Structure formats: structure tokens, C-alpha cells
Amino acid sequence: MDKRFLVIGSTGLLGQALMSELKVQKKTVTGVARANADISLDITDEKALHKLLHSEKPDVIINTVALVDLALCESDPDLAYKINAKPSIELAKFAATHNVKYVYVSTDHYYTGDTDTKHDETHPLTLTNQYGVTKQLGEEFALTNESTMVVRTNIVGFRGQKERPTFVEWVLDTLNKKQQMQLFDDFYTSSIDVRSFSKNLLELIEQNASGIINLASTQVTNKKDFILALANKLGLSCANTKTVSMLEFEHTIDRNESLGLDVSKAEKILDHPLPNLDDVIESLAAEYLEKE
């Protein structure tokens, strides 16, 4: 029987990629977002969310919604809670009572002070700001249903909204315009492109994986090396870049900077390797050239 997918946050960076991949795989999918989606809904409206779930009757729910603006999370922690955490109470409850697969897309914003270390799913978390606090609460609420899959990741890619450029879109625009750019050599991630993430996430769902799973690149890379690799692949000059330390900046908000993830658990379930840095850069470059 064909599974019915519900993608919450379908107009965002990851949501768009998931909708595209599900349609390529000829899956039945409905997208949900505040606007410009199959169904318009504010995920903080608990009654509307409850009504949606019971009317759509999905077999798989993928929650990609997140308030990622660190400053806004700090200034309005109640809003951060309502977006990042609270919806998982209703979603996990519905999933448990209706035999539905719930997937909560989490974050890697949990680690600090150990540079390019790969953190597995059991590594202790360091919650330094409201973003991390509310995403971790979202994980806890999601996992009240034992069949839930919580996915920790760091995704990169193209959203196609000029007023809200993604990290990659900002980097390429800055390089193309030959503007000044600072490169952090002490901020580490295991970034994976959203196309690769989406394909592998759907494989994990097919395997009925559950619990906390890291889904990211196999390599931990600092922001400097990531940007240089992407620029080199596309033949863009980095003459106007300058290497700086993120840790030496005075930040108004505490940030985690050692975000490397150990993906061996996911690779064991999938029975194949996940993308390395070269694979991620290749995928991003190909998508960029397609759009150009």
C-alpha cells in the first residue's frame, strides 16, 4: 500500500528538497506551511494542527519546521518553544495512537570546545542558547513515541528566496560580486546537501529506523575549507576573503561551534556510505549550475 507523506515546513530549504524527492519517487505527499503550500497552517495553532492530522490521515509525518534565528530565539523564547518544541507533543501523540511514523528533524547545535570531533548520538549535549534548548525539548517530546525517528543534521543548499538566502546562496552571491568575506577556521560542521539528505532520510524511513540518528556528511570541515572547496569547484575567486577566528569575536549570544557528527549508526542501517565533503560539494555545484 502506498504510504501517504505529510511534510510540515514544505516551503523551507529542506521541505522543498523533500517534496521534490518524494514526487520523483512517485510518493503521495502533501506539503504544509504557513503559505504557498498544499495546505496553509501555522504549526503553533494546536487546534488547527490536530484537525489537519485527523483529516489528512498520513502514514508518515516529517516535521522540518524550526525557528533557527538565534537572536529571535533568545529575545522570544516562548515563540522558539512554540515552534521548535511544542508541536512534537501533538505529533508524537497522534503518531502513537494511529500507527504513524513521525520524523523530527533536529539540529547539530549541541557541542562545543572540541573542534573537529565527531559526536555520536550518545555524546553529552551542551545547551548554550534557547535554540538548542528548544530543539532538545522537541526531541524529548518526539521520543515519547518509541517509533519516532529524531534526525540530527546540518543541511546546506538552495531555497530560492532572495529575501532569505541560505548560507550557500549567501556565499556564492558574495563571491560572485567579489565582495569581502570572512572565513571562520574554527567553526566545524558535517554539512550535507539537502538533496543527499532527503534521499537518505527516505531510505531510513523505509527501514523503519527509530530513535536518535545522525544524518550528515562523513567529514567534519571548518567553514573556511568548505567555502574554499565550493569556490574552487565553481572556479570562483577567493581573493577578497580573509581567514578569521569565530571564537575571537564578541557574540551577544553564546554559540556552539564544534558541530561534527558521527554518522556510523546511519551508515550501518543504510548499509552504504554517506556523502563525504567532495560528494556534497559536487552535488551543490551541480544544482547551482542547473539553476544558472
Side-chain angles (χ1 to χ4, degrees), residues 250-268:
E250 288 190 14
H251 298 286
T252 56
I253 302 167
D254 290 334
R255 297 167 182 260
N256 298 62
E257 83 299 326
S258 303
L259 311 183
L261 296 174
D262 182 333
V263 297
S264 55
K265 179 179 178 179
E267 290 183 319
K268 184 175 181 179

Side-chain angles (χ1 to χ4, degrees), residues 2-3 5 7 10-11 15-32 36-39 62 198-199 202:
D2 186 31
K3 292 180 180 177
F5 285 78
V7 176
S10 60
T11 60
Q16 289 183 33
L18 279 168
M19 293 292 290
S20 177
E21 182 59 30
L22 283 162
K23 289 174 181 178
V24 166
Q25 295 188 18
K26 301 188 184 307
K27 303 293 186 181
T28 302
V29 57
T30 300
V32 179
N36 303 316
D38 298 323
I39 297 175
I62 307 177
S198 298
K199 292 175 183 177
L202 295 181

Side-chain angles (χ1 to χ4, degrees), residues 52-282:
L52 167 72
L53 295 174
H54 286 269
S55 64
E56 287 299 308
K57 297 180 174 60
D59 299 298
V60 181
I61 302 168
I62 307 177
N63 180 11
T64 73
V65 176
L67 181 62
V68 298
D69 184 325
L70 299 188
L72 184 53
C73 287
E74 291 300 308
S75 64
D76 195 344
D78 185 54
L79 179 63
Y81 173 77
K82 288 179 178 178
I83 295 175
N84 293 340
K86 191 176 180 181
S88 273
I89 298 174
E90 178 70 28
L91 292 168
K93 180 181 177 181
F94 178 84
T97 55
H98 293 81
N99 193 29
V100 169
K101 187 67 177 181
Y102 176 38
V103 179
Y104 176 74
V105 180
S106 190
T107 183
D108 59 352
H109 203 81
Y110 292 142
Y111 316 104
T112 187
D114 52 7
T115 62
D116 60 352
T117 297
K118 291 183 178 182
H119 306 91
D120 69 16
E121 291 82 357
T122 65
H123 196 282
L125 309 187
T126 302
L127 305 177
T128 61
N129 52 49
Q130 285 299 313
Y131 172 64
V133 168
T134 54
K135 288 300 289 183
Q136 196 275 329
L137 277 173
E139 290 188 4
E140 286 190 11
F141 294 151
L143 291 168
T144 57
N145 172 17
E146 63 181 17
S147 69
T148 291
M149 176 164 49
V150 168
V151 184
R152 292 178 180 165
T153 190
N154 186 295
I155 51 172
V156 289
F158 302 88
R159 183 166 45 215
Q161 299 175 10
K162 289 185 177 180
E163 70 282 3
R164 296 174 58 226
T166 65
F167 167 71
V168 168
E169 288 169 337
W170 169 79
V171 165
L172 293 175
D173 184 60
T174 303
L175 291 173
N176 276 310
K177 291 178 179 177
K178 297 180 170 56
Q179 296 174 339
Q180 297 292 323
M181 181 189 295
Q182 295 179 324
L183 306 178
F184 294 134
D185 63 358
D186 53 4
F187 186 96
Y188 297 87
T189 66
S190 301
S191 299
I192 185 172
D193 62 285
V194 286
R195 283 183 170 180
S196 298
F197 177 91
S198 298
K199 292 175 183 177
N200 284 286
L201 177 62
L202 295 181
E203 282 190 53
L204 288 170
I205 292 171
E206 193 64 30
Q207 294 287 342
N208 198 28
S210 61
I212 300 172
I213 299 176
N214 293 337
L215 181 55
S217 168
T218 60
Q219 289 179 255
V220 182
T221 313
N222 64 43
K223 288 292 186 183
K224 172 186 175 180
D225 290 344
F226 184 91
I227 291 171
L228 292 179
L230 183 58
N232 181 64
K233 181 67 179 179
L234 291 170
L236 298 174
S237 172
C238 292
N240 292 323
T241 63
K242 178 183 179 182
T243 301
V244 296
S245 167
M246 192 201 83
L247 296 175
E248 292 179 2
F249 275 72
E250 288 190 14
H251 298 286
T252 56
I253 302 167
D254 290 334
R255 297 167 182 260
N256 298 62
E257 83 299 326
S258 303
L259 311 183
L261 296 174
D262 182 333
V263 297
S264 55
K265 179 179 178 179
E267 290 183 319
K268 184 175 181 179
I269 297 170
L270 294 166
D271 196 27
H272 65 71
L274 284 165
N276 60 23
L277 175 62
D278 288 342
D279 298 326
V280 171
I281 295 299
E282 183 74 32

